[in-house]
Amino acid sequence: MIDSYGRKINYLRVSVTKRCNLNCSYCGAGTEKCEDGLTAAQIEKIVRAFAVNGITKVRLTGGEPLVRSDICEIAKRISGIEGIKKIALTTNGIRLAEYAKALKAAGISAVNVSLDTTDREQFRAITGYDMLHKVLEGIDECERVGFPSLRLNAVLVKGRNDDQAEKLVDIARNRKIDVRFIELMPFSSEGEDGKHIVTGKEILSRFPFLEPLNESSASEKNVAKYYGAESFIGRVGFISPVSEKFCKDCNRIRLLSDGKIKPCLGNDTVFDLMPYIDDENMLNEKIRQAILSKPMEHTFSCGYAASHGMNEIGG
Ligand code: SAM
């Protein structure tokens, strides 16, 4: 569906839970014990209504999607929906080694693993848990299982893990894995004043040998700028929503784990679908309204103080 600013909205991000088994400093408080909100059947129903309105790609996120024991059932249900061509997953990787094979069988073709550091002590300081080894095992298992797309996403925070760019870029140098740097957004006290952000440009300047690539697919081109070098097997990507807004090309809409639609990551307007969960026509109508109300751009630069944590929205 085309929104009020002429953008084609075809990508839905679904936060399947706000629970997480990590507690990253820049994200939101860990909420391991709360309820999941939507059931697998409700998620299927809502995604079906989104598909009627032009959504072709779905990403499962959270919280941590792999803390839901029915995550493969959710993926399977979505893969059966007419019009959905691609299902992707964003995960912190802690449970990925156990789930990778089943996720692929359930229809997931692309996995993004969040990895901010290769240093065990830094990982513990950022996430609150000594579990770097689990994430690394998960990444290895994904390579073995053979997902068509495997990417790592890193958020560098000044004074915390900004010494990690070289180590992370080395992964793209040596393995068929894309490594992407996402700018810190204002969703926690660490991100709010903008002082800890490491911009994509700052990181890129440390790698003068990286050349821009033109090969990005249409859907990727909107968000990440990719770079490579002759000796590199993977690519290095930069997602810079703060220093280089890409709102004019945004094709996304978000479903929160409590059944609310969030048309823009950097704007607090939400549309609650729960009162209409059993009424197909009203679901369609509310989804159309939400897409048409997507604002022209986010307001991070105006000291945005988010009413939903990143752990609720899912990135
Ligand atoms: N638990 C999953 C994970 O860790 O990938 C999915 C949810 S997490 C909220 C999704 C992504 O959002 C992660 O890559 C995380 O690094 C990113 N993220 C969280 N807070 C952020 C912030 N303040 N700025 C930029 N990215 C953020």
Side-chain angles (χ1 to χ4, degrees):
M1 184 178 156
I2 306 294
D3 76 0
S4 308
Y5 299 94
R7 297 169 295 200
K8 188 174 179 181
I9 309 302
N10 54 13
Y11 174 17
L12 172 68
R13 299 178 64 101
V14 180
S15 173
V16 297
T17 178
K18 59 180 179 179
R19 285 188 295 141
C20 191
N21 44 7
L22 295 181
N23 187 10
C24 299
S25 54
Y26 54 78
C27 181
T31 45
E32 178 87 54
K33 291 201 177 66
C34 65
E35 295 292 314
D36 282 337
L38 295 170
T39 64
Q42 288 171 332
I43 292 174
E44 179 185 0
K45 208 179 260 188
I46 294 174
V47 175
R48 199 176 290 284
F50 268 104
V52 169
N53 287 290
I55 294 297
T56 57
K57 172 180 170 181
V58 174
R59 175 172 299 281
L60 302 178
T61 176
E64 170 49 37
L66 301 190
V67 301
R68 269 193 82 144
S69 55
D70 59 353
I71 188 67
C72 292
E73 185 198 336
I74 293 172
K76 239 182 244 158
R77 282 174 179 265
I78 294 175
S79 65
I81 296 175
E82 197 183 329
I84 301 299
K85 296 186 186 134
K86 182 171 178 178
I87 311 175
L89 173 84
T90 294
T91 172
N92 61 28
I94 300 291
R95 295 197 177 165
L96 199 46
E98 348 162 10
Y99 275 106
K101 215 168 153 191
L103 288 167
K104 191 174 180 208
I108 288 186
S109 62
V111 177
N112 288 0
V113 184
S114 303
L115 180 69
D116 301 323
T117 179
T118 59
D119 178 87
R120 181 177 170 184
E121 188 42 42
Q122 254 181 25
F123 185 92
R124 197 200 53 70
I126 293 169
T127 66
Y129 293 85
D130 182 14
M131 288 209 175
L132 174 64
H133 62 288
K134 284 277 169 200
V135 184
L136 300 178
E137 273 170 39
I139 295 166
D140 291 348
E141 183 60 16
C142 278
E143 268 193 311
R144 258 192 298 277
V145 166
F147 287 91
S149 166
L150 176 58
R151 307 190 289 210
L152 305 186
N153 287 334
V155 178
L156 296 191
V157 178
K158 235 168 228 165
R160 207 182 248 286
N161 64 337
D162 50 340
D163 60 341
Q164 280 291 309
E166 285 74 12
K167 290 265 168 44
L168 292 165
V169 163
D170 270 349
I171 298 177
R173 187 195 302 271
N174 298 320
R175 298 168 74 169
K176 197 177 175 310
I177 297 177
D178 293 339
V179 174
R180 311 188 311 168
F181 294 96
I182 304 178
E183 280 178 356
L184 178 67
M185 291 178 268
F187 282 88
S188 67
S189 51
E190 215 163 29
E192 245 159 45
D193 59 8
K195 285 188 187 140
H196 296 90
I197 185 173
V198 186
T199 65
K201 273 203 181 109
E202 281 175 67
I203 301 168
L204 183 60
S205 69
R206 297 192 211 165
F207 305 95
F209 55 86
L210 285 177
E211 300 277 355
L213 299 171
N214 300 319
E215 65 188 49
S216 317
S217 71
S219 62
E220 283 177 332
K221 211 161 45 190
N222 299 335
V223 174
K225 289 191 177 143
Y226 282 100
Y227 290 75
E230 213 174 306
S231 56
F232 273 50
I233 303 171
R235 302 176 299 172
V236 180
F238 297 91
I239 302 179
S240 310
V242 182
S243 68
E244 291 178 63
K245 273 188 184 185
F246 42 79
C247 304
K248 71 174 174 34
D249 293 322
C250 183
N251 63 345
R252 297 153 180 228
I253 189 129
R254 291 170 169 83
L255 176 67
L256 308 186
S257 59
D258 59 1
K260 295 194 176 77
I261 304 179
K262 191 169 170 65
C264 170
L265 180 61
N267 182 292
D268 277 341
T269 307
V270 291
F271 289 75
D272 192 0
L273 293 181
M274 290 318 278
Y276 317 105
I277 192 75
D278 293 320
D279 182 337
E280 210 178 299
N281 290 334
M282 280 305 285
L283 272 186
N284 275 327
E285 181 50 34
K286 286 289 154 190
I287 286 170
R288 274 194 288 274
Q289 271 180 24
I291 292 177
L292 287 174
S293 80
K294 189 173 162 70
M296 190 166 76
E297 49 187 27
H298 69 65
T299 49
F300 290 155
S301 56
C302 311
Y304 178 71
S307 63
H308 291 93
M310 203 53 133
N311 64 318
E312 292 175 85
I313 306 168

